[in-house]
Amino acid sequence: MSEAIETVAKLRERFPDSVLGYETDAAGESVVTLRAKDLIPAARFLRDELHYNYLVDVTAVDRLKLGMKPRFATIYQLHSMEKHDKRVRLRVPIPDDSNPQVDSVVGVWPTANWHEREAYDMFGIRFNGHPDLRRILMPHDWVGHPLRKDYPLGGPRGGDYGQEHIPFKINWDDDEFRDLGRQVVEVGEPYSVPPKKADTNRYMVINMGPQHPATHGVLRVIAELDGERVVALYPDIGYLHSGFEKTGENKRYKDFIPYTDRMDYLSAMSNNLGYVLAVEKLLGIEVPERARVIRVILVELQRIASHLMWLGTHVLDISGTIHALLMYAFREREMILDIFELVCGARLTTAYFRFGGLSKDVPPRFARDVEAFLDIFPKRLADYRAMLDDNPIWKGRTAGIGKITQEEAIAMGVTGPILRATGIPYDIRRVRPYCGYENYDFEIPTETEGDIYARYLVRMREMEQSVRIIRQALDRLPEGPVLTDDYKVAYPPREEIDRNMEALIHHFKIATQGAVVPPGEVYQTIAAPKGELGFYVISDGSPKPYRLRVRGPSFVNLQALDIMGRGELFSDVIAIVGSIDIVLGEVDR
């Protein structure tokens, strides 16, 4: 009996009337439909007795246009850190369409806190028992819930649904110019007040950001302090919210690929890969081996480039260490961006991967340029480690600071180098391999201290392992096509269009309509540089996703800032934020 079937059997045995249905998705993963009133006891059973101790994601679906009753359902992606082949998805229909409510699972899996706040913000679903249920991405006074299917793309205007107001001419009598040129303006209601649990009478509560450069973007942190010691940290996000999920549900599948570049804009290749893999599962297509190997090379180069950006800026954050290292890190990163530009013409926003392969083959000099980088980089990386590993200032600002334990990391859903720095060798490339990673020989670096210094060591060793993977990929890079020959999904070759009417028709349909994805759902996850990046996609059989959910690692990892910061000096908060390695474009999405 498979683990998934055994899970369902045990659920049904313990809660006979709770399991309303069971199916598998496009990737063969188990989906269990569970009665809403039994969610909490079932969740505790899954965590405590079946060892689903890692809640990967929580989101929701508005099934209004699918014609399904009830209208709303919450979705829970579960995984066992003890037995990695155990993963299951819970679907919980919410009975009341007019006032959707479901019990909060924060008491079972603390990482659900921000996920449930996002579902409340975007769908208007109330999570009973949530410790701090308020908006998280939209302004506190925003009207409506953007991911509902009856909510217009333009958003609200004047309290009613309507198109977004865009001024096309300047009228100096408009309210927006009322305070122009005045140095002192009346203070209105704050964008977001401190959470109710903040003790403003006993402790000092101050703002850090959102304009602070060392917050790595427009992040605001409300810090509760006892003198110079941190009592609690409350991240306030949403200043960059771009509505990627709403946009994706209104774009053809193929047209959303460039949008993935702009979330974690330091990991465009990885974002491309996670999304196209999800859609490929729904399409049921195979990718040519040459394309699979090139994908591995590029995403491992992207991992190195992302870690180099983290290294340079993190060292810069911690004043007193080696500022020149920022320029050194950028020097090697530029070589990687040169390779990206070589293969697709872009350096940051690559949009190079396609459903079924690549947009085009790499040029002849590709392998030579990658080898040239691999010849240089290990020595440069060793130089960086010589500068920092035993540097007393660096260690004084990182060792023993910003700690998180294994248990806390799992409870908060933390992944990537932060989780591996606690000693847990969890890497999607190994536990749920994709792109043929099961055929590569590499190690999963871990440390045990769970502090800033341990995260530094893990990332440095990860770059060494990426070099190891890329060398193997170059050795096994085969000749052959880089795009599927399924012309209902991919453009036919130009020579085919010139002589084959059927190929011309396929080209026309893909250009005007895009690939038609069969009905179904899938959750695809990859090991992005910052942690687990997941795409949950529901298809209704049209050329556009019905539901497009992005589970970003920066969003989830940032939630653990409070745990890492408690008891530390306020001056260490910058170092802790830097050690998480966030990109606000992906946090806010």
Side-chain angles (χ1 to χ4, degrees):
M1 181 182 293
S2 72
E3 293 288 351
I5 296 175
E6 184 179 355
T7 295
V8 177
K10 289 182 177 179
L11 265 177
R12 280 181 166 150
E13 180 182 350
R14 176 64 67 90
F15 307 98
D17 300 322
S18 300
V19 178
L20 305 178
Y22 169 71
E23 61 195 84
T24 56
D25 70 5
E29 291 197 351
S30 298
V31 184
V32 178
T33 302
L34 193 68
R35 190 166 60 178
K37 70 178 185 178
D38 300 317
L39 173 59
I40 298 303
R44 294 191 187 280
F45 175 73
L46 285 163
R47 183 196 64 183
D48 298 337
E49 299 189 39
L50 301 186
H51 308 294
Y52 287 93
N53 55 345
Y54 169 39
L55 177 65
V56 183
D57 190 30
V58 180
T59 188
V61 181
D62 179 359
R63 307 188 292 185
L64 177 68
K65 295 186 178 180
L66 293 175
M68 298 177 68
K69 295 290 185 179
R71 174 177 175 178
F72 297 100
T74 48
I75 308 294
Y76 306 81
Q77 312 279 355
L78 304 179
H79 181 82
S80 171
M81 283 291 184
E82 299 176 15
K83 205 166 185 179
H84 290 309
D85 58 346
K86 293 182 68 171
R87 184 167 281 210
V88 68
R89 183 177 315 132
L90 299 183
R91 181 193 296 130
V92 180
I94 302 175
D96 189 352
D97 288 356
S98 60
N99 184 27
Q101 300 182 48
V102 68
D103 290 334
S104 169
V105 298
V106 172
V108 183
W109 297 290
T111 186
N113 190 319
W114 278 20
H115 294 306
E116 290 181 350
R117 283 181 60 189
E118 184 179 358
Y120 164 71
D121 195 357
M122 298 292 114
F123 291 92
I125 297 171
R126 298 201 64 85
F127 292 86
N128 298 323
H130 190 284
D132 187 26
L133 193 63
R134 56 198 171 99
R135 290 192 182 271
I136 188 169
L137 294 178
M138 307 302 292
H140 69 283
D141 56 353
W142 190 265
V143 178
H145 305 283
L147 285 181
R148 289 191 174 191
K149 287 299 180 181
D150 56 359
Y151 193 93
L153 274 174
R157 180 184 175 190
D160 300 319
Y161 287 160
Q163 291 301 309
E164 181 180 8
H165 174 59
I166 302 175
F168 290 98
K169 62 181 180 179
I170 292 178
N171 182 346
W172 293 107
D173 296 326
D174 287 350
D175 286 344
E176 59 188 297
F177 301 108
R178 181 181 54 199
D179 298 317
L180 185 67
R182 295 176 56 191
Q183 290 182 316
V184 180
V185 297
E186 183 180 351
V187 177
E189 183 180 358
Y191 174 83
S192 176
V193 296
K196 294 179 181 178
K197 56 186 177 182
D199 189 348
T200 56
N201 295 319
R202 182 177 178 186
Y203 300 117
M204 179 170 59
V205 177
I206 65 172
N207 278 308
M208 188 183 78
Q211 79 288 343
H212 199 296
T215 56
H216 294 253
V218 280
L219 168 67
R220 176 190 179 210
V221 178
I222 304 169
E224 191 175 1
L225 303 176
D226 183 3
E228 286 293 316
R229 291 287 172 183
V230 173
V231 175
L233 298 172
Y234 308 101
D236 181 29
I237 62 176
Y239 294 89
L240 274 183
H241 181 58
S242 304
F244 281 109
E245 294 182 14
K246 183 75 170 182
T247 300
E249 292 170 9
N250 288 273
K251 297 287 183 186
R252 296 174 299 180
Y253 284 93
K254 69 183 184 69
D255 295 335
F256 187 69
I257 294 175
Y259 286 84
T260 65
D261 298 334
R262 290 155 173 81
M263 290 184 290
D264 180 355
Y265 39 79
L266 303 178
S267 303
M269 290 288 187
S270 299
N271 299 345
N272 289 176
L273 181 62
Y275 175 62
V276 300
L277 285 175
V279 179
E280 285 168 357
K281 291 282 181 64
L282 288 168
L283 289 166
I285 58 175
E286 293 294 327
V287 177
E289 182 61 19
R290 179 173 174 83
R292 280 162 44 104
V293 175
I294 292 172
R295 284 178 173 184
V296 168
I297 294 171
L298 293 175
V299 296
E300 292 305 320
L301 286 171
Q302 186 74 84
R303 188 181 313 278
I304 296 172
S306 178
H307 284 355
L308 286 173
M309 173 65 84
W310 157 80
L311 177 65
T313 55
H314 192 34
V315 169
L316 188 67
D317 287 344
I318 302 177
S319 180
T321 52
I322 305 167
H323 291 179
L325 194 52
L326 174 69
M327 292 181 286
Y328 298 159
F330 266 67
R331 176 187 59 193
E332 274 68 73
R333 180 173 173 268
E334 283 295 299
M335 294 182 69
I336 295 175
L337 299 189
D338 287 343
I339 294 170
F340 290 171
E341 186 175 11
L342 175 72
V343 301
C344 67
R347 300 173 71 80
L348 284 180
T349 50
T350 52
Y352 179 55
F353 298 158
R354 294 291 184 272
F355 308 136
L358 311 173
S359 63
K360 58 184 177 181
D361 201 352
V362 295
R365 59 177 285 188
F366 169 75
R368 185 185 68 200
D369 285 8
V370 173
E371 287 173 350
F373 171 77
L374 297 182
D375 290 340
I376 293 172
F377 184 66
K379 173 61 169 62
R380 301 275 173 84
L381 187 60
D383 290 342
Y384 301 160
R385 296 200 60 173
M387 295 177 190
L388 294 175
D389 279 8
D390 296 314
N391 183 311
I393 299 175
W394 175 254
K395 293 190 74 172
R397 294 297 310 276
T398 59
I401 295 171
K403 281 193 169 188
I404 188 170
T405 66
Q406 290 187 3
E407 294 75 17
E408 290 169 337
I410 293 174
M412 296 305 296
V414 167
T415 55
I418 303 176
L419 179 63
R420 292 190 282 274
T422 69
I424 299 176
Y426 177 75
D427 190 314
I428 294 294
R429 294 173 295 177
R430 272 286 172 78
V431 302
R432 307 184 71 79
Y434 52 92
C435 290
Y437 269 110
E438 64 273 19
N439 301 317
Y440 292 87
D441 180 27
F442 64 99
E443 298 174 4
I444 303 173
T446 60
E447 294 291 329
T448 57
E449 293 302 311
D451 58 6
I452 297 175
Y453 189 71
R455 289 165 218 151
Y456 154 75
L457 291 176
V458 166
R459 289 190 178 100
M460 300 302 275
R461 290 169 56 201
E462 280 188 2
M463 288 191 275
E464 295 171 356
Q465 295 303 311
S466 289
V467 169
R468 182 175 172 183
I469 293 170
I470 295 168
R471 289 195 188 280
Q472 295 173 60
L474 286 175
D475 289 342
R476 68 177 60 182
L477 182 61
E479 296 297 325
V482 295
L483 193 61
T484 180
D485 58 2
D486 184 347
Y487 297 151
K488 293 182 179 180
V489 174
Y491 286 116
R494 176 69 196 186
E495 58 271 18
E496 284 288 316
I497 297 173
D498 290 341
R499 61 173 182 259
N500 187 318
M501 177 57 72
E502 186 177 356
L504 178 61
I505 293 171
H506 284 310
H507 184 281
F508 177 78
K509 293 193 71 172
I510 291 176
T512 58
Q513 167 180 302
V516 177
V517 178
E521 67 177 71
V522 71
Y523 178 74
Q524 174 66 46
T525 182
I526 69 164
K530 295 170 177 60
E532 181 165 341
L533 171 66
F535 287 87
Y536 175 57
V537 185
I538 297 178
S539 170
D540 59 358
S542 73
K544 299 178 182 178
Y546 184 82
R547 177 73 178 103
L548 176 56
R549 160 69 173 171
V550 183
R551 188 268 188 206
S554 291
F555 176 86
V556 180
N557 292 348
L558 180 60
Q559 188 178 188
L561 176 64
D562 179 44
I563 291 175
M564 298 177 191
R566 290 192 179 190
E568 304 290 3
L569 291 170
F570 183 56
S571 57
D572 291 326
V573 174
I574 292 298
I576 297 170
V577 170
S579 77
I580 300 174
D581 188 19
I582 56 173
V583 165
L584 267 297
E586 180 252 277
V587 173
D588 292 344
R589 298 183 314 287

